[in-house]
Amino acid sequence: MKRWLKNAALWVFVLALAAGSMALPWMVCQGYDRELFAQPQPRPATDLDLSAAARENDFVSQLYERQSLLGGWGEGWEPLEEEAAAAAVENAWETLLKLMTLEDLPDGVRQTVGETLAESGRGQAWRDEMGFVRVRLGDVYLITEPVSGLPARLAVYGPADAPDDPLALLEEWRALLGVDALPDWEETQTVQTGATELRSQQGRLRLQVCAAHEAFLLEAASFS
């Protein structure tokens, strides 16, 4: 009888130990959960962050959706096959010719783009899952938005002069993009060398021109 009680007590101890070891991870996780949920969590961006006018603008809403889905311009690109790439390059030529009509575009940039169009019979092209297209023609890179076909980013590498009036160039480009109807555009400070920037909080959109380090950049991008 004593031996049986001793064995029973041993089994009870073993079971209690096992139960305790199983409960320990759960208690630790509970502690981590309490700490996690006590911290403020970032809210995913939605189109409700845009004003009604911004949501109705294809260029603005497409940029915002892409930023929410894919992030910056360096992500999400897949190369196009030959026929689709040729069509994308042809469209890029037409868009670049439109950009060259901007009166405040620096002469050096205009000359580089013109020479590139004259010399480059072919180019490379990529598309992301939202339909944005990126084309490279020599040292000229262009990204266009899929619904309107408007330019979202122009990068020209090599010696590039700065615009005489960066704000005037941004205002011209803003009109070309059809986003000048947003009423709250303001110049914003930027720490980037050689950069001038306008922002619209209602459209969660920034327009930037930058000339530095032998590169010229004209860019539209969303922010959260």
Coordinates of all heavy atoms in Angstrom, one line a residue, residues 7-66:
N7 N 4.3 5.5 -5.5 CA 4.2 5.6 -7.0 C 3.2 6.6 -7.5 O 3.4 7.4 -8.4 CB 3.9 4.2 -7.6 CG 5.1 3.3 -7.4 OD1 6.2 3.7 -7.2 ND2 4.9 2.0 -7.5
A8 N 2.1 6.6 -6.8 CA 1.0 7.6 -7.2 C 1.5 9.0 -7.0 O 1.2 9.9 -7.8 CB -0.3 7.3 -6.4
A9 N 2.1 9.3 -5.9 CA 2.6 10.6 -5.6 C 3.7 11.0 -6.6 O 3.7 12.2 -7.1 CB 3.2 10.7 -4.2
L10 N 4.5 10.0 -7.1 CA 5.5 10.3 -8.1 C 4.9 10.7 -9.4 O 5.3 11.7 -10.1 CB 6.4 9.1 -8.2 CG 7.5 9.2 -9.3 CD1 8.5 10.4 -8.9 CD2 8.3 7.9 -9.4
W11 N 3.8 10.0 -9.8 CA 3.1 10.3 -11.0 C 2.4 11.6 -11.0 O 2.4 12.4 -11.9 CB 2.1 9.2 -11.3 CG 2.6 8.0 -12.0 CD1 2.9 6.8 -11.5 CD2 3.1 7.9 -13.3 NE1 3.4 5.9 -12.4 CE2 3.6 6.6 -13.6 CE3 3.2 8.9 -14.4 CZ2 4.2 6.2 -14.8 CZ3 3.7 8.5 -15.6 CH2 4.2 7.2 -15.8
V12 N 1.8 12.0 -9.8 CA 1.2 13.3 -9.7 C 2.3 14.4 -9.8 O 2.0 15.4 -10.5 CB 0.6 13.4 -8.3 CG1 0.1 14.9 -8.0 CG2 -0.7 12.5 -8.2
F13 N 3.5 14.2 -9.3 CA 4.5 15.2 -9.4 C 5.0 15.3 -10.9 O 5.2 16.4 -11.4 CB 5.7 14.7 -8.5 CG 6.9 15.6 -8.7 CD1 7.0 16.9 -8.1 CD2 8.0 15.2 -9.5 CE1 8.1 17.7 -8.3 CE2 9.1 16.0 -9.6 CZ 9.2 17.2 -9.0
V14 N 5.1 14.2 -11.6 CA 5.5 14.2 -13.0 C 4.5 14.9 -13.8 O 4.8 15.8 -14.7 CB 5.7 12.8 -13.5 CG1 5.9 12.8 -15.0 CG2 7.0 12.2 -12.8
L15 N 3.2 14.6 -13.6 CA 2.1 15.3 -14.3 C 2.1 16.8 -14.1 O 1.9 17.6 -15.0 CB 0.8 14.7 -14.0 CG 0.6 13.2 -14.5 CD1 -0.8 12.7 -14.0 CD2 0.6 13.2 -16.1
A16 N 2.3 17.2 -12.8 CA 2.3 18.6 -12.5 C 3.5 19.3 -13.1 O 3.3 20.5 -13.6 CB 2.3 18.8 -10.9
L17 N 4.6 18.6 -13.2 CA 5.8 19.2 -13.8 C 5.6 19.4 -15.3 O 5.9 20.5 -15.9 CB 7.0 18.3 -13.5 CG 8.4 18.9 -14.1 CD1 8.7 20.2 -13.4 CD2 9.4 17.8 -13.8
A18 N 4.9 18.4 -15.9 CA 4.7 18.5 -17.4 C 3.7 19.6 -17.6 O 3.8 20.4 -18.6 CB 4.1 17.2 -17.9
A19 N 2.7 19.7 -16.8 CA 1.7 20.8 -17.0 C 2.3 22.2 -16.8 O 2.0 23.1 -17.6 CB 0.5 20.6 -16.0
G20 N 3.2 22.3 -15.9 CA 3.9 23.5 -15.7 C 4.8 23.9 -16.8 O 4.8 25.1 -17.2
S21 N 5.5 22.9 -17.4 CA 6.3 23.2 -18.5 C 5.5 23.6 -19.8 O 6.0 24.4 -20.6 CB 7.2 22.0 -18.9 OG 6.4 20.9 -19.2
M22 N 4.3 23.0 -19.9 CA 3.5 23.4 -21.0 C 2.9 24.8 -20.8 O 2.7 25.5 -21.8 CB 2.3 22.4 -21.2 CG 2.8 21.0 -21.6 SD 1.5 19.8 -21.6 CE 0.4 20.5 -22.9
A23 N 2.6 25.2 -19.6 CA 2.0 26.5 -19.3 C 3.0 27.6 -19.4 O 2.6 28.7 -19.7 CB 1.3 26.5 -18.0
L24 N 4.3 27.3 -19.2 CA 5.3 28.4 -19.2 C 5.4 29.1 -20.5 O 5.4 30.4 -20.5 CB 6.7 27.8 -18.8 CG 7.8 28.8 -18.7 CD1 7.5 29.8 -17.7 CD2 9.1 28.0 -18.4
P25 N 5.5 28.4 -21.7 CA 5.5 29.2 -22.9 C 4.3 30.1 -23.1 O 4.3 31.2 -23.6 CB 5.6 28.1 -24.0 CG 6.2 26.9 -23.3 CD 5.6 27.0 -21.9
W26 N 3.1 29.5 -22.7 CA 1.9 30.3 -22.9 C 1.9 31.5 -22.0 O 1.5 32.6 -22.5 CB 0.7 29.4 -22.5 CG -0.6 30.1 -22.5 CD1 -1.4 30.3 -23.6 CD2 -1.3 30.8 -21.5 NE1 -2.5 31.0 -23.3 CE2 -2.5 31.3 -22.0 CE3 -1.0 30.9 -20.1 CZ2 -3.4 32.0 -21.2 CZ3 -2.0 31.7 -19.3 CH2 -3.1 32.2 -19.9
M27 N 2.5 31.4 -20.8 CA 2.6 32.6 -19.9 C 3.5 33.6 -20.5 O 3.3 34.8 -20.5 CB 3.0 32.2 -18.5 CG 2.0 31.3 -17.8 SD 2.7 30.6 -16.3 CE 3.0 32.0 -15.3
V28 N 4.6 33.1 -21.1 CA 5.6 34.0 -21.7 C 5.0 34.8 -22.9 O 5.1 36.0 -23.0 CB 6.9 33.3 -22.1 CG1 7.8 34.2 -22.9 CG2 7.6 32.7 -20.9
C29 N 4.3 34.0 -23.7 CA 3.6 34.6 -24.9 C 2.6 35.6 -24.5 O 2.4 36.7 -25.1 CB 3.0 33.5 -25.8 SG 4.2 32.5 -26.6
Q30 N 1.8 35.3 -23.4 CA 0.9 36.3 -22.9 C 1.5 37.6 -22.5 O 1.0 38.6 -22.7 CB 0.1 35.6 -21.7 CG -0.9 34.6 -22.0 CD -2.1 35.3 -22.6 OE1 -2.2 35.4 -23.8 NE2 -3.1 35.7 -21.8
G31 N 2.7 37.4 -21.8 CA 3.4 38.6 -21.5 C 3.9 39.4 -22.7 O 3.8 40.7 -22.7
Y32 N 4.4 38.7 -23.7 CA 4.8 39.4 -24.9 C 3.6 40.1 -25.6 O 3.6 41.2 -26.1 CB 5.4 38.5 -25.9 CG 6.8 38.1 -25.6 CD1 7.3 36.8 -25.7 CD2 7.7 39.1 -25.1 CE1 8.6 36.5 -25.4 CE2 9.0 38.8 -24.8 CZ 9.5 37.5 -25.0 OH 10.8 37.1 -24.7
D33 N 2.4 39.4 -25.6 CA 1.2 40.0 -26.2 C 0.8 41.2 -25.5 O 0.4 42.2 -26.1 CB 0.0 39.0 -26.1 CG 0.2 37.8 -27.2 OD1 1.1 38.0 -28.1 OD2 -0.5 36.8 -27.1
R34 N 0.8 41.2 -24.1 CA 0.4 42.4 -23.4 C 1.4 43.6 -23.7 O 0.9 44.7 -23.9 CB 0.5 42.1 -21.9 CG -0.7 41.3 -21.4 CD -0.8 41.3 -19.9 NE 0.3 40.7 -19.2 CZ 0.4 39.4 -18.9 NH1 -0.6 38.6 -19.2 NH2 1.5 38.9 -18.3
E35 N 2.7 43.3 -23.8 CA 3.6 44.3 -24.2 C 3.4 44.8 -25.6 O 3.5 46.0 -25.9 CB 5.1 43.8 -24.0 CG 6.1 44.8 -24.3 CD 7.5 44.2 -24.2 OE1 7.6 43.1 -23.7 OE2 8.5 44.9 -24.6
L36 N 3.1 43.9 -26.5 CA 2.9 44.3 -27.9 C 1.7 45.2 -28.1 O 1.7 46.2 -28.7 CB 2.8 43.0 -28.8 CG 2.5 43.2 -30.3 CD1 3.7 44.0 -30.9 CD2 2.2 41.9 -31.0
F37 N 0.5 44.7 -27.5 CA -0.7 45.4 -27.7 C -0.7 46.8 -26.9 O -1.6 47.6 -27.2 CB -1.9 44.6 -27.3 CG -2.1 43.4 -28.2 CD1 -2.1 42.1 -27.8 CD2 -2.3 43.7 -29.6 CE1 -2.3 41.1 -28.7 CE2 -2.5 42.6 -30.5 CZ -2.5 41.3 -30.0
A38 N 0.2 46.9 -26.0 CA 0.3 48.2 -25.2 C 0.9 49.2 -26.1 O 0.8 50.4 -25.8 CB 1.1 48.0 -23.9
Q39 N 1.7 48.8 -27.2 CA 2.4 49.8 -28.0 C 1.4 50.2 -29.1 O 0.6 49.4 -29.6 CB 3.6 49.1 -28.6 CG 4.6 48.7 -27.6 CD 5.8 47.9 -28.2 OE1 5.8 47.7 -29.4 NE2 6.7 47.4 -27.4
P40 N 1.6 51.5 -29.6 CA 0.8 51.9 -30.7 C 1.2 51.2 -32.0 O 2.4 51.1 -32.3 CB 1.1 53.4 -30.8 CG 2.4 53.6 -30.1 CD 2.4 52.5 -29.1
Q41 N 0.3 50.7 -32.8 CA 0.6 50.0 -34.0 C 0.2 50.8 -35.2 O -0.8 51.5 -35.3 CB -0.3 48.7 -34.1 CG 0.0 47.7 -32.9 CD 1.4 47.3 -32.9 OE1 1.9 46.8 -33.9 NE2 2.1 47.4 -31.7
P42 N 1.1 50.8 -36.3 CA 0.9 51.5 -37.5 C -0.4 51.0 -38.2 O -0.6 49.8 -38.3 CB 2.1 51.3 -38.3 CG 2.7 50.1 -37.8 CD 2.4 50.0 -36.3
R43 N -1.2 52.0 -38.7 CA -2.4 51.6 -39.4 C -2.1 51.5 -40.9 O -1.5 52.4 -41.5 CB -3.5 52.7 -39.2 CG -4.8 52.4 -39.9 CD -5.8 53.4 -39.4 NE -5.4 54.8 -39.7 CZ -5.6 55.4 -40.9 NH1 -6.1 54.8 -41.9 NH2 -5.2 56.6 -41.1
P44 N -2.5 50.4 -41.6 CA -2.3 50.4 -43.0 C -2.9 51.5 -43.7 O -4.0 52.0 -43.4 CB -2.9 49.0 -43.4 CG -3.0 48.3 -42.2 CD -3.2 49.3 -41.1
A45 N -2.2 52.1 -44.7 CA -2.8 53.2 -45.5 C -4.0 52.7 -46.3 O -4.0 51.6 -46.9 CB -1.7 53.8 -46.4
T46 N -5.0 53.6 -46.4 CA -6.1 53.3 -47.3 C -6.4 54.6 -48.1 O -5.9 55.6 -47.8 CB -7.4 53.0 -46.4 OG1 -7.8 54.1 -45.8 CG2 -7.0 51.9 -45.4
D47 N -7.2 54.4 -49.1 CA -7.6 55.6 -49.9 C -8.4 56.6 -49.2 O -8.7 57.7 -49.7 CB -8.2 55.1 -51.3 CG -9.5 54.5 -51.1 OD1 -9.9 54.2 -49.9 OD2 -10.2 54.1 -52.1
L48 N -8.9 56.2 -48.0 CA -9.7 57.1 -47.2 C -8.8 58.3 -46.7 O -9.3 59.3 -46.2 CB -10.4 56.4 -46.0 CG -11.4 55.4 -46.4 CD1 -12.0 54.7 -45.2 CD2 -12.5 56.0 -47.3
D49 N -7.4 58.0 -46.7 CA -6.5 59.1 -46.3 C -6.5 60.2 -47.4 O -6.0 61.3 -47.1 CB -5.1 58.5 -46.2 CG -5.0 57.6 -45.0 OD1 -5.7 57.8 -44.0 OD2 -4.3 56.6 -45.1
L50 N -7.0 60.0 -48.6 CA -7.1 61.0 -49.6 C -8.4 61.8 -49.6 O -9.4 61.3 -49.2 CB -6.9 60.3 -51.0 CG -5.7 59.4 -51.3 CD1 -5.8 58.8 -52.6 CD2 -4.4 60.2 -51.1
S51 N -8.3 63.0 -50.1 CA -9.5 63.8 -50.2 C -10.4 63.2 -51.3 O -9.9 62.4 -52.1 CB -9.2 65.2 -50.4 OG -8.7 65.4 -51.8
A52 N -11.6 63.6 -51.4 CA -12.5 63.1 -52.4 C -12.0 63.5 -53.8 O -12.0 62.7 -54.7 CB -13.9 63.7 -52.2
A53 N -11.5 64.7 -54.0 CA -10.9 65.2 -55.2 C -9.7 64.3 -55.6 O -9.5 64.0 -56.8 CB -10.5 66.6 -55.2
A54 N -8.9 64.0 -54.6 CA -7.7 63.2 -54.9 C -8.1 61.7 -55.3 O -7.5 61.2 -56.2 CB -6.8 63.1 -53.7
R55 N -9.1 61.2 -54.7 CA -9.5 59.8 -55.0 C -10.1 59.8 -56.4 O -10.0 58.7 -57.1 CB -10.6 59.3 -54.0 CG -10.0 59.0 -52.7 CD -11.0 58.1 -51.9 NE -12.3 58.8 -51.6 CZ -12.6 59.6 -50.6 NH1 -11.6 59.8 -49.7 NH2 -13.8 60.1 -50.5
E56 N -10.6 60.9 -56.9 CA -11.2 60.9 -58.3 C -10.1 61.1 -59.3 O -10.4 60.9 -60.5 CB -12.3 62.0 -58.4 CG -13.5 61.8 -57.5 CD -14.4 63.0 -57.5 OE1 -14.1 64.0 -58.1 OE2 -15.5 62.9 -56.8
N57 N -8.9 61.4 -58.9 CA -7.8 61.7 -59.9 C -7.1 60.3 -60.1 O -6.5 59.8 -59.1 CB -6.9 62.8 -59.4 CG -5.8 63.1 -60.3 OD1 -4.9 62.3 -60.6 ND2 -5.9 64.3 -60.9
D58 N -7.1 59.8 -61.3 CA -6.5 58.5 -61.5 C -5.0 58.5 -61.2 O -4.5 57.6 -60.6 CB -6.6 58.1 -63.0 CG -8.1 57.7 -63.3 OD1 -8.8 57.2 -62.4 OD2 -8.5 57.9 -64.5
F59 N -4.3 59.6 -61.6 CA -2.8 59.6 -61.3 C -2.5 59.6 -59.8 O -1.7 58.8 -59.4 CB -2.3 60.9 -61.9 CG -0.8 61.0 -61.8 CD1 0.1 60.3 -62.7 CD2 -0.2 61.8 -60.8 CE1 1.4 60.5 -62.5 CE2 1.2 62.0 -60.7 CZ 2.0 61.3 -61.6
V60 N -3.3 60.4 -59.0 CA -3.0 60.5 -57.6 C -3.4 59.1 -56.9 O -2.6 58.6 -56.1 CB -3.9 61.6 -57.0 CG1 -3.7 61.6 -55.4 CG2 -3.4 62.9 -57.5
S61 N -4.6 58.6 -57.3 CA -5.0 57.4 -56.6 C -4.2 56.2 -57.0 O -3.9 55.3 -56.1 CB -6.5 57.1 -56.9 OG -6.7 57.0 -58.3
Q62 N -3.7 56.1 -58.2 CA -2.9 55.0 -58.6 C -1.5 55.0 -57.9 O -1.0 54.0 -57.5 CB -2.7 55.0 -60.1 CG -3.9 54.6 -60.9 CD -4.1 53.1 -60.8 OE1 -3.2 52.3 -61.1 NE2 -5.3 52.7 -60.4
L63 N -0.9 56.2 -57.8 CA 0.3 56.4 -57.1 C 0.2 56.0 -55.7 O 1.1 55.3 -55.1 CB 0.8 57.8 -57.2 CG 1.6 58.3 -58.4 CD1 2.0 59.7 -58.3 CD2 2.9 57.4 -58.6
Y64 N -0.9 56.4 -55.0 CA -1.1 56.1 -53.6 C -1.3 54.6 -53.4 O -0.7 54.0 -52.4 CB -2.3 56.9 -53.1 CG -2.4 56.9 -51.6 CD1 -1.5 57.6 -50.8 CD2 -3.3 56.1 -50.9 CE1 -1.5 57.6 -49.4 CE2 -3.4 56.1 -49.6 CZ -2.5 56.8 -48.8 OH -2.6 56.8 -47.4
E65 N -2.0 54.0 -54.3 CA -2.2 52.5 -54.1 C -0.9 51.8 -54.3 O -0.7 50.8 -53.6 CB -3.3 52.1 -55.2 CG -3.7 50.6 -55.0 CD -4.8 50.2 -55.9 OE1 -5.4 51.0 -56.6 OE2 -5.0 48.9 -56.1
R66 N -0.1 52.2 -55.3 CA 1.2 51.5 -55.5 C 2.1 51.7 -54.3 O 2.7 50.7 -53.9 CB 1.9 52.1 -56.8 CG 3.1 51.3 -57.1 CD 4.0 52.0 -58.1 NE 5.1 51.1 -58.5 CZ 6.1 50.7 -57.8 NH1 6.3 51.2 -56.6 NH2 7.0 49.8 -58.3

